Amino acid sequence: MPVISAPQAFNEDDLYVDLEGIFGHPLFLKCEGFNFAGSIKLKAATEMVEAAERDGLLTPGSVLVESSSGNLGVALSVIAASKGYQFLCVTDSRCNLATRMMMEALGSQVHVITEPDAVGGFLGARIDHVRALCASDDRYVWLNQYANPSNGMAHYRTTAPAIARQFPDLDVLFVGAGTTGTLMGCARYFREWHRPVRIVAVDSVGSVTFGGAPGRRMIPGLGTSRRPPLLDESYVDDVVRVAEADTIRACHRLARRGFLFGGSTGTVVSGAMDWLAGQEGRQLTSVAIAPDLGERYLETVYQTNWVQDLYGEDVLGSQPLTTASQAA
């Protein structure tokens, strides 16, 4: 298992970054961005497509359609191109430009929703659009990442066992909550493991996934405007909510040490450091999952004008890493 504390050459996909030297708390970051789709979503996309093929839902001439904030759309674009399917991604105006261009380069269509639903937000508006497309043409096949059990099964079968092999003494796992597929798959695996592992979900302030008040969220990837059908809170031990300003600071702090990660990773790292700060004196083996890398966020998270316009002139100043809040 390659574990690095500074950027260096490597030739394995299963890479972990030791963050203790950067943030002062012991945490290994599992990097999932080193595949042709550039994110952990390739696992879920592969599992869902293969299940739909086995079930006879996907046949020659089918058109895949999915709602995505970006990463799953890219993953499905890669798979659709390799298998010869057409793919239409329904996203919204928060999707990074580089992500949209990547999907189109892979031959996919992209529909961008510009107005949120009054109740369901952008997610609700995207899902309504997908349903309208499916009603208009029976060639459309919606995998529905929000309710598809194969989403979580992908991580039960791959992500969690990989972590378990490398960290047999694992104490705590930090997982960002979006559709909650990664969270649920990993949590179910470790519930059955030979030793207890504390599962800490990391969510964005403004997300309603765990009952928080709805609010503005500009960084795609984590958080939802409606409760994910896949979520079973009985598998989650703690929830940490992270403000997007803290996400920005964590991303930039990592970048200043040579690690360019995406917004979801900044959120997970910020939340993990906040949680670990409350565990002083305990020797814990801790792992967090980094869903993607940062190249797709150069015009947003790493663009000073974008950051300051949304979060204020001082967001990249000398403020503390997190002001995240915890909830049981």
Side-chain angles (χ1 to χ4, degrees), residues 61-268:
S62 293
V63 180
L64 282 166
V65 60
E66 186 57 83
S67 160
S68 171
S69 61
N71 280 340
L72 183 72
V74 173
L76 286 172
S77 295
V78 169
I79 293 172
S82 68
K83 289 178 172 283
Y85 295 116
Q86 297 180 63
F87 172 54
L88 190 159
C89 181
V90 179
T91 188
D92 61 62
S93 54
R94 298 170 300 176
C95 180
N96 298 317
L97 176 60
T99 300
R100 300 202 301 268
M101 294 177 67
M102 192 174 300
M103 287 188 277
E104 291 170 347
L106 289 162
S108 300
Q109 295 185 62
V110 182
H111 288 188
V112 180
I113 302 300
T114 58
E115 294 295 330
D117 179 79
V119 177
F122 277 114
L123 176 58
R126 285 179 1 213
I127 290 175
D128 287 346
H129 188 73
V130 169
R131 287 181 170 144
L133 288 169
C134 292
S136 71
D137 190 331
D138 59 11
R139 292 179 303 159
Y140 286 117
V141 176
W142 180 26
L143 297 175
N144 192 2
Q145 64 165 325
Y146 309 102
N148 193 323
S150 294
N151 184 348
M153 182 56 65
H155 304 289
Y156 181 92
R157 289 159 49 95
T158 62
T159 309
I163 294 170
R165 286 193 299 271
Q166 300 297 345
F167 296 91
D169 57 347
L170 181 67
D171 294 306
V172 57
L173 178 65
F174 299 94
V175 188
T179 65
T180 68
T182 308
L183 175 64
M184 288 293 97
C186 291
R188 286 191 167 94
Y189 179 89
F190 283 111
R191 179 67 62 88
E192 301 167 3
W193 207 35
H194 69 91
R195 56 174 284 149
V197 173
R198 195 160 193 86
I199 301 297
V200 180
V202 184
D203 198 13
S204 300
V205 171
S207 166
V208 305
T209 299
F210 295 95
R216 184 189 73 168
R217 291 179 295 109
M218 300 303 297
I219 301 173
L222 299 185
T224 60
S225 53
R226 59 172 64 179
R227 181 182 172 88
L230 293 175
L231 177 62
D232 183 344
E233 290 188 62
S234 69
Y235 286 87
V236 177
D237 296 298
D238 294 300
V239 177
V240 180
R241 297 183 176 91
V242 176
E244 287 190 335
D246 294 322
T247 294
I248 298 291
R249 283 192 283 270
C251 285
H252 281 254
R253 189 164 173 182
L254 285 163
R256 293 300 180 267
R257 297 295 291 271
F259 299 109
L260 194 71
F261 284 108
S264 297
T265 298
T267 302
V268 172

